Amino acid sequence: MIDDDTNLPLSPEQIDEFTRAVRKRWYPEPVYQTEFARDITEHDWLVIGALANALLPGGTAWTPVVQKLSANPGPTNFSVTVKGPVEARYMPSAEQAGVLDFLRRALDGGDGARPLDGFLGHRVPEFLYASRQLTLLARRDFDRDLHQLNATAAEVCVLNFERDNPALFAIVRQHILEGYFADPRHGGNKDYAAWKSIDLDSHILHEHDSSVVTNIHTPFDPPSKSGGGGESPD
Amino acid sequence: MSEEYDVCIIGSGASGAVMATELHRFGFNVAVIEKGDWQRTAFAAADLDDASFAEDELYFKHWMPFVSKQFLEPTIFSETADGEESTTSVGYTYDLIGGGTCLYAGAAWRFREQDFKKLSHFGPQPGASLVDWPIAYSELKPYYDRAERKLRISGKVDTDLTEPSRDRNTLLKPIEPDRYSRLLYDTAEDLGWHPSYMPLAIDSELCKRSGWCSGFPCAFGADSGKVHRKSAKSSVDVRLLAKTLKGIGKYETERLKIFPNAVALRIESDSNGLCTGVVCRGRDEGARDFFVRAKIVVLAASAVQTARLALASDSSLFPDGLGNHNGLLGKNLMFHIYDKQMGIFPHAFPFELNKLIAVNEFYNPSRPDGLFPNACSIMSGSKWMPIKYARNVSGWGRRYMEEVARDYARNQLLQAAVEDLPQESNAVSLHPTRVDRYGMPVAKVVHRYHDLDLEAMRFTLDKCAQLMAACGAEIPLVPKPKRNITGNYTYHLMGTCRMGNDEDTSVVDANCRFHSVRNLYVIDGSVFPTSSALNPTLTIQANAYRVAANILASARRGELSR
């Protein structure tokens, strides 16, 4: 059992206090690196990772229906053809997709070198609260920490947590989804795994080779590949 | 004494850029106060050296780099459903030269003839301050033509029964429809409706179909920091200002100067009740106030900010705000009411620009129990990006993931747009206690939709569902219209400086000049007496062309000399 003080859950009043304090700094000054990020312990990160994995457990395989595209070609300047067999998509878990890396950079600022580093600094209290409460629930019901539980038990804890804290849960869920589905440059969605899994035509979304992601090919190069013009107006 | 300009325009967006370039062409000496900077400069300041950063959902949709300054410098607080205040950026008032047109989807409608005669057609409605416009469509028609030609609007609207008359075709050919748009078009025709290729401020000869339109800089205009004339999106920075200034990134040419990164704090007026100029402050650390002296001041800062600045510019002659002689300044604020109907199709669609088709079959519907005063429009919606889609599917866990994976590529949207009836209680006022970082009172926004707005939205969503189902899509759920504008942003800000002939019931006259301050004009959406159901940008721009011509005529008659 872990019994240091930093893992005690925060009361709703303490959360309010944290939030007020952060909002105060948020207005009018930006909070790129919040002092509260120091309060997230390695144990909290383990719990947050387990929470993300409970939300997005991965492992799903499915085969998309894209064959119809060739039977019904697009407009003349933008025809779409399907090359090769359609492969089954595999959904990674939150952890495999790198959601935790995204959250670390977004919450504690990372090295501050990128535009979105630390952009969730004002959400540290919510994540701290989630971690501490989930620890409490897991220990109460299963005598273990969330990351030590099997998937079914973790799901029970997360369900209980969601029921008691619907608004806060929605915030945490949203940022975990952001980590999963955002551009890989923000730390998550490693190797475009989340985009591959939903069959997003990433040739249009990004400059990398579309054949990696999907068998749908489009005839023109995206702007960053083709240089995107660059003439001056006059 | 500092240089005196003929005209000082506050805001360089849809209307401000039109006014600035037009008056410059007429020979006026023009100053423009702009809160933001050129896209290229703003990108560089945000370390956006990578081309494809422009195409980033998280960055643009959630962090919103060009409105983020407004989060950090909140200026607007709206009432939420539980009566509490929250900050909002009331979006599409982006801090950029070119304003909201840099990032908008580009819908470029002409208002319908009937939109200008709302009261005459429908009579008074309880709780709503419905009026006719002081001008008719025919007065705006030549300026619509001019705006469409200058901005290179594309579309094919001859099949739309509500489309107002045109003397000549000023539209470029429509953008080639994608598969979803063709399906919608054909199905609507099968239903006996009259779909059209909606007019878009996207040059169909230049568009390369990046698909990143609504809420993003044009991928072919802003990437690598190279905003250039091949930008497909007809944002006013590229189409108008860059031409006059002879280059992107320039601030000054003979008789036209843009003051970038500057906030207008106050319009000064003299003892005769005439404006003398604008007090501004640079947004950089330690920047000093400066005064832009001008013979004419033109407000083009969007309906909320325009009203806020006029209200904050009180004087002994106008203790309730500059030009607020009858207490109406800030009132009759309108947004459009929007909702989206999702359909899940049997097969996948590629990620593409999808805002191409519109159905105005029910633009002015009649109900069995009487007239329905709200205009209603249906447009194909831009597809949701993955984060937004995932957030809107409820639940989590394995089944949730399966659902998202299976349905994302198969989902498409229809957008229902409904007229927001004007109400005097929907208003912008100065917040009694809160000030922004420049010491200026923040705007307090109070807005509730009218019962008829919600009824019209339910009607329109019903029609959307009918069209979706006819296309072969499953309808997972029908959204419920909401009473409040909440959240971080809305769009299409109108009202607050109502245009009218009677000075007791309006703020500005038919020429958009304040009744009580004869050298102060408003040219943004503030002047709209009613809102229609169509995107207002082109009408704002056509009206700005009209007002510019009227300012020239007034100047020639010697009416504008102080």
Side-chain angles (χ1 to χ4, degrees):
Chain A
M1 289 293 286
I2 304 157
D3 58 0
D4 60 338
D5 286 350
T6 53
N7 284 317
L8 288 177
L10 301 172
S11 70
E13 290 75 28
Q14 283 172 304
I15 283 290
D16 280 353
E17 197 183 323
F18 263 130
T19 309
R20 262 200 307 278
V22 174
R23 293 276 185 276
K24 195 174 165 190
R25 291 192 53 195
W26 185 242
Y27 173 88
E29 294 300 329
V31 183
Y32 292 113
Q33 306 231 9
T34 164
E35 62 201 59
F36 300 121
R38 290 199 303 263
D39 297 333
I40 307 183
T41 62
E42 282 309 309
H43 179 261
D44 287 319
W45 285 121
L46 288 173
V47 177
I48 292 168
L51 168 64
N53 272 346
L55 264 53
L56 302 169
T60 311
W62 66 291
T63 307
V65 185
V66 293
Q67 290 89 337
K68 291 195 178 190
L69 289 174
S70 54
N72 183 9
T76 49
N77 69 346
F78 197 73
S79 64
V80 177
T81 52
V82 178
K83 294 177 185 170
V86 177
E87 291 159 17
R89 308 289 185 254
Y90 174 78
M91 300 200 82
S93 70
E95 202 169 9
Q96 288 165 339
V99 169
L100 215 52
D101 293 347
F102 167 86
L103 287 175
R104 275 180 184 264
R105 265 162 60 173
L107 286 165
D108 73 14
D111 54 13
R114 290 159 291 248
L116 288 189
D117 283 354
F119 88 110
L120 290 180
H122 63 301
R123 291 299 188 200
V124 167
E126 283 87 346
F127 277 87
L128 264 184
Y129 184 71
S131 160
R132 306 294 165 91
Q133 287 290 21
L134 282 163
T135 301
L136 186 78
L137 289 170
R139 290 179 186 179
R140 187 193 70 190
D141 296 342
F142 300 100
D143 207 23
R144 281 199 174 82
D145 283 337
L146 190 71
H147 59 278
Q148 296 161 336
L149 299 178
N150 64 28
T152 316
E155 204 173 301
V156 171
C157 289
V158 175
L159 270 172
N160 286 333
F161 175 71
E162 182 188 17
R163 189 196 56 220
D164 296 341
N165 309 278
L168 191 141
F169 182 82
I171 290 168
V172 171
R173 173 183 178 270
Q174 170 174 333
H175 296 309
I176 288 172
L177 289 176
E178 282 173 3
Y180 193 77
F181 284 114
D183 193 296
R185 71 191 66 228
H186 301 306
N189 193 3
K190 295 239 187 294
D191 194 26
Y192 305 90
W195 288 355
K196 289 179 201 173
S197 75
I198 59 170
D199 209 28
L200 183 64
D201 188 354
S202 60
H203 189 105
I204 306 237
L205 272 177
H206 248 285
E207 74 249 20
H208 70 279
D209 183 4
S210 68
S211 61
V212 174
V213 169
T214 170
N215 289 322
I216 302 170
H217 291 258
T218 50
F220 80 88
D221 275 340
S224 43
K225 248 186 178 176
S226 62
E231 292 175 31
S232 69
D234 289 288
Chain B
M1 182 182 281
S2 58
E3 180 188 1
E4 183 175 56
Y5 292 89
D6 293 326
V7 184
C8 174
I9 301 167
I10 300 163
S12 70
S15 60
V18 166
M19 181 61 86
T21 50
E22 200 71 347
L23 290 183
H24 175 266
R25 191 171 70 91
F26 294 152
F28 287 78
N29 190 9
V30 182
V32 180
I33 315 294
E34 170 52 50
K35 206 173 172 187
D37 210 325
W38 287 99
Q39 282 189 59
R40 177 167 68 182
T41 318
F43 267 72
D47 280 341
L48 295 181
D49 52 351
D50 187 328
S52 45
F53 241 124
E55 307 180 354
D56 187 323
E57 179 187 9
L58 183 71
Y59 196 85
F60 270 86
K61 287 292 186 192
H62 296 280
W63 181 234
M64 297 192 284
F66 303 117
V67 274
S68 62
K69 285 177 188 164
Q70 295 180 11
F71 278 114
L72 306 177
E73 303 168 5
T75 50
I76 297 157
F77 285 76
S78 64
E79 250 178 21
T80 56
D82 48 12
E84 288 184 2
E85 287 180 342
S86 66
T87 83
T88 163
S89 57
V90 188
Y92 288 11
T93 55
Y94 291 106
D95 300 348
L96 286 171
I97 288 178
T101 65
C102 297
L103 307 178
Y104 77 151
W109 295 100
R110 295 180 179 216
F111 278 10
R112 286 16 192 162
E113 282 158 11
Q114 199 173 295
D115 290 328
F116 297 89
K117 300 287 171 206
K118 215 68 196 178
L119 182 64
S120 304
H121 273 279
F122 294 98
Q125 301 290 325
S129 48
L130 222 52
V131 285
D132 288 345
W133 288 46
I135 53 170
Y137 169 74
S138 56
E139 286 167 72
L140 269 185
K141 186 155 77 169
Y143 301 103
Y144 273 126
D145 287 352
R146 178 160 176 73
E148 282 177 350
R149 275 202 308 269
K150 290 290 281 185
L151 293 161
R152 301 184 66 77
I153 310 292
S154 65
K156 189 167 185 295
V157 293
D158 49 2
T159 49
D160 185 339
L161 298 180
T162 64
E163 178 66 21
S165 62
R166 286 165 182 267
D167 296 331
R168 55 185 75 81
N169 182 23
T170 43
L171 296 177
L172 305 176
K173 69 177 169 60
I175 289 171
E176 191 86 13
D178 57 278
R179 296 169 66 240
Y180 173 57
S181 300
R182 283 192 305 168
L183 178 64
L184 277 182
Y185 195 97
D186 294 347
T187 311
E189 276 193 329
D190 290 347
L191 287 169
W193 298 354
H194 296 81
S196 61
Y197 293 108
M198 61 190 279
L200 287 168
I202 295 173
D203 187 331
S204 50
E205 289 163 17
L206 297 175
C207 179
K208 293 181 196 162
R209 306 297 289 272
S210 75
W212 295 80
C213 296
S214 183
F216 297 92
C218 182
F220 302 99
D223 65 320
S224 310
K226 292 169 193 158
V227 182
H228 55 93
R229 74 169 162 214
K230 287 203 169 168
S231 168
K233 187 181 289 188
S234 292
S235 52
V236 292
D237 56 337
V238 177
R239 290 282 182 274
L240 302 177
L241 289 169
K243 270 189 180 163
T244 302
L245 291 164
K246 300 191 171 57
I248 296 284
K250 298 207 163 65
Y251 302 100
E252 200 171 351
T253 183
E254 196 190 350
R255 290 184 289 101
L256 174 61
K257 181 171 183 181
I258 297 182
F259 293 87
N261 300 309
V263 184
L265 296 178
R266 187 180 160 78
I267 303 165
E268 292 290 356
S269 53
D270 62 17
S271 54
N272 300 321
L274 292 172
C275 307
T276 55
V278 184
V279 180
C280 308
R281 186 176 300 168
R283 296 175 71 176
D284 299 332
E285 201 70 34
R288 285 187 176 179
D289 289 4
F290 59 95
F291 185 63
V292 179
R293 186 173 299 279
K295 297 190 181 99
I296 302 172
V297 175
V298 178
L299 285 162
S302 90
V304 170
Q305 298 293 357
T306 284
R308 174 186 177 219
L309 181 58
L311 286 166
S313 303
D314 56 344
S315 66
S316 54
L317 270 179
F318 296 105
D320 299 324
L322 189 59
N324 192 13
H325 61 286
N326 54 12
L328 281 177
L329 178 61
K331 293 188 174 165
N332 296 304
L333 171 70
M334 296 171 288
F335 303 108
H336 282 139
I337 173 164
Y338 272 105
D339 226 321
K340 282 181 174 170
Q341 176 66 60
M342 186 195 287
I344 307 286
F345 286 77
H347 51 80
F349 289 98
F351 180 88
E352 278 193 51
L353 166 76
N354 276 332
K355 208 170 179 175
L356 288 181
I357 303 298
V359 179
N360 284 325
E361 202 70 23
F362 311 99
Y363 195 74
N364 288 302
S366 299
R367 296 182 309 176
D369 55 338
L371 284 171
F372 202 75
N374 304 65
C376 312
S377 183
I378 298 172
M379 302 169 204
S380 53
S382 313
K383 193 175 177 105
W384 275 341
M385 310 261 154
I387 296 172
K388 185 167 182 186
Y389 182 82
R391 204 182 56 192
N392 277 285
V393 176
S394 59
W396 46 273
R398 193 170 299 277
R399 286 188 61 184
Y400 164 83
M401 289 188 94
E402 281 170 12
E403 190 182 338
V404 172
R406 203 184 51 232
D407 292 348
Y408 178 75
R410 302 191 298 139
N411 96 86
Q412 291 291 355
L413 296 166
L414 270 180
Q415 182 173 279
V418 163
E419 178 167 12
D420 176 9
L421 296 183
Q423 302 172 71
E424 269 196 23
S425 54
N426 288 343
V428 175
S429 57
L430 295 182
H431 198 283
T433 52
R434 301 199 75 151
V435 293
D436 67 8
R437 63 160 58 175
Y438 311 105
M440 190 175 169
V442 306
K444 181 173 176 174
V445 177
V446 176
H447 188 278
R448 292 269 186 291
Y449 285 118
H450 195 282
D451 287 343
L452 288 168
D453 299 345
L454 302 181
E455 209 169 311
M457 177 47 81
R458 282 188 282 270
F459 169 89
T460 314
L461 283 172
D462 196 44
K463 295 296 174 193
C464 288
Q466 189 184 341
L467 179 53
M468 273 290 191
C471 290
E474 287 172 46
I475 310 292
L477 79 165
V478 178
K480 285 189 186 138
K482 294 173 205 73
R483 173 74 70 179
N484 293 84
I485 290 267
T486 52
N488 290 331
Y489 70 98
T490 112
Y491 21 69
H492 304 180
L493 297 90
M494 292 165 285
T496 73
C497 296
R498 177 175 273 195
M499 163 168 50
N501 290 324
D502 182 350
E503 61 181 64
D504 292 333
T505 57
S506 57
V507 178
V508 300
D509 65 16
N511 286 332
C512 299
R513 173 149 70 156
F514 273 70
H515 286 298
S516 49
V517 185
R518 300 308 282 165
N519 64 345
L520 179 60
Y521 287 78
V522 186
I523 49 164
D524 54 31
S526 312
V527 298
F528 286 17
T530 54
S531 64
S532 97
L534 300 171
N535 307 48
T537 307
L538 190 75
T539 303
I540 291 172
Q541 290 168 325
N543 188 52
Y545 277 116
R546 181 184 71 93
V547 175
N550 287 338
I551 288 179
L552 175 65
S554 299
R556 281 184 177 155
R557 289 195 297 269
E559 291 173 12
L560 297 176
S561 49
R562 244 188 291 129

